[in-house]
Amino acid sequence: MAERRNCEFQTEDGTTLRGWWYRGEGDNRPVIVMAHGFSATKEMYLDDFGGYFADGGFDVLVYDNRNLGESDGPRPAEIDPWQQVSDYRDAITWISGQDGIDAGRVGIWGSSYSGAHVLVVAALDRRVKCVVSQVPLVDGLENARRLIRSDVWPTLRQGFDADRAGRLRGEDPLTIPVTFDQSADEPCALPTQDSHDFFFGPIRERATNWENLITLRSVELFTEYLPAAFIARISPTPLLLVVATDDVLTPCDLALGAYEEAREPKKLLVLPGGHFDAYIDDAFATSAPVQLDWFQTHLGK
């Protein structure tokens, strides 16, 4: 049984990221690096996945993305996908240098927005020997077109432009809620009912430091992000892609289309239910053993 301890490490630009290290015993231990999705914090079920992988024989590093949770926030509430990709790589560097870790057996795991990031990281960073991407974003613009009504786009674009002008003048960045509080008509980044139900549901008891606020620039960056462009470059690193049939937040058909572009070795796991079902109950009971087996097969126990 691995011991979970709090940890922190520095990124290349000096930002401190904080999280948990499930630390095993002995030498030459394989490790899995994990972070959460859009605005989410590690307490939103990453302890369930991290603990499960640790019980399966892995060291696991779980951390909060910068500007979120317990990690430092040089730009509070800002979610920059490329900065998060860079932070994943810094996390790999840090954990690979710790005593007992086998730097030749590093896996990465991501879900939703971080499910996108691990596709990019695995394509760019050959230190990664195995990747699991769960309910990932694969095309930011196409995904946003599914979520945002067409008549709202002109106003949103005007907001992006106004925010850029204001930042250049030294003003505070414009902000927007992550998801709606009372009504689906409220402007927000994730306007789906299941997003509201998840973030305002029982998970609030576990994730007490989550805030329903991001910068508007985070949405602009979301629309410009295209991780599917990297998926064919992941090979020969083994890729497991997990999708949910009724996912309306990161639609299943987009992920399946991206999977077709991936090269071997690859594996697809299709779960029933929606985006957030993938973290809990029957979907977790089905998915977690498959994910663990993928890591064990390609990283060793």
Side-chain angles (χ1 to χ4, degrees):
M1 295 289 290
E3 174 192 5
R4 192 181 93 178
R5 59 180 66 180
N6 295 330
C7 66
E8 63 180 46
F9 60 94
Q10 297 274 308
T11 63
E12 188 175 353
D13 69 354
T15 300
T16 299
L17 305 185
R18 297 181 179 86
W20 304 315
W21 179 3
Y22 294 81
R23 183 171 182 173
E25 298 179 349
D27 295 324
N28 301 315
R29 304 188 306 272
V31 64
I32 300 167
V33 177
M34 305 175 58
H36 218 318
F38 196 84
S39 91
T41 62
K42 63 186 182 301
E43 291 80 10
M44 294 176 173
Y45 300 117
L46 292 200
D47 46 349
D48 293 349
F49 282 96
Y52 190 87
F53 297 151
D55 290 345
F58 293 92
D59 274 41
V60 183
L61 172 62
V62 181
Y63 67 92
D64 279 326
N65 288 304
R66 66 170 60 211
N67 305 325
L68 301 170
E70 293 183 332
S71 290
D72 282 356
R75 292 185 173 180
E78 185 132 301
I79 302 173
D80 182 334
W82 287 106
Q83 184 64 68
Q84 291 184 351
V85 164
S86 179
D87 290 345
Y88 252 106
R89 301 181 75 176
D90 287 343
I92 292 169
T93 300
W94 179 77
I95 195 67
S96 295
Q98 301 307 301
D99 290 342
I101 296 297
D102 183 349
R105 292 193 292 164
V106 176
I108 54 176
W109 181 100
S111 188
S112 194
Y113 214 36
S114 67
H117 303 339
V118 295
L119 299 176
V120 179
V121 173
L124 298 177
D125 198 325
R126 290 302 162 191
R127 295 176 299 173
V128 175
K129 303 306 181 186
C130 184
V131 55
V132 173
S133 174
Q134 177 177 276
V135 294
L137 172 89
V138 296
D139 184 332
L141 182 58
E142 183 60 29
N143 208 122
R145 285 172 172 159
R146 302 283 186 97
L147 296 175
I148 301 170
R149 297 199 326 260
S150 59
D151 62 314
V152 175
W153 274 98
T155 301
L156 184 61
R157 294 287 188 194
Q158 291 171 8
F160 294 161
D161 295 343
D163 180 56
R164 283 181 173 275
R167 283 171 179 256
L168 196 60
R169 293 192 296 268
E171 298 171 3
D172 290 338
L174 299 178
T175 59
I176 189 172
V178 176
T179 190
F180 63 89
D181 187 355
Q182 301 295 329
S183 169
D185 292 330
E186 300 170 18
C188 63
L190 306 180
T192 65
Q193 186 64 47
D194 61 347
S195 296
H196 164 84
D197 294 346
F198 176 77
F199 286 110
F200 285 100
I203 197 64
R204 295 293 298 269
E205 297 178 4
R206 299 171 64 167
T208 57
N209 57 9
W210 176 77
E211 295 186 27
N212 188 30
L213 188 73
I214 56 168
T215 63
L216 187 61
R217 183 168 184 262
S218 302
V219 180
E220 183 179 23
L221 292 169
F222 181 105
T223 66
E224 297 171 350
Y225 193 34
L226 185 58
F230 293 83
I231 200 165
R233 304 181 188 179
I234 294 173
S235 177
T237 302
L239 165 66
L240 171 62
L241 191 69
V242 182
V243 301
T245 56
D246 300 320
D247 194 334
V248 296
L249 187 58
T250 55
C252 180
D253 66 297
L254 298 182
L256 292 175
Y259 179 77
E260 292 302 315
E261 299 299 318
R263 298 171 181 171
E264 299 289 347
K266 64 179 181 178
K267 182 174 182 176
L268 177 67
L269 175 62
V270 180
L271 302 172
H275 186 84
F276 297 99
D277 294 324
Y279 298 96
I280 60 173
D281 300 335
D282 291 344
F284 176 85
T286 298
S287 181
V290 176
Q291 297 183 25
L292 175 61
D293 179 71
W294 190 252
F295 284 126
Q296 290 176 335
T297 298
H298 296 287
L299 297 180
K301 300 181 180 180

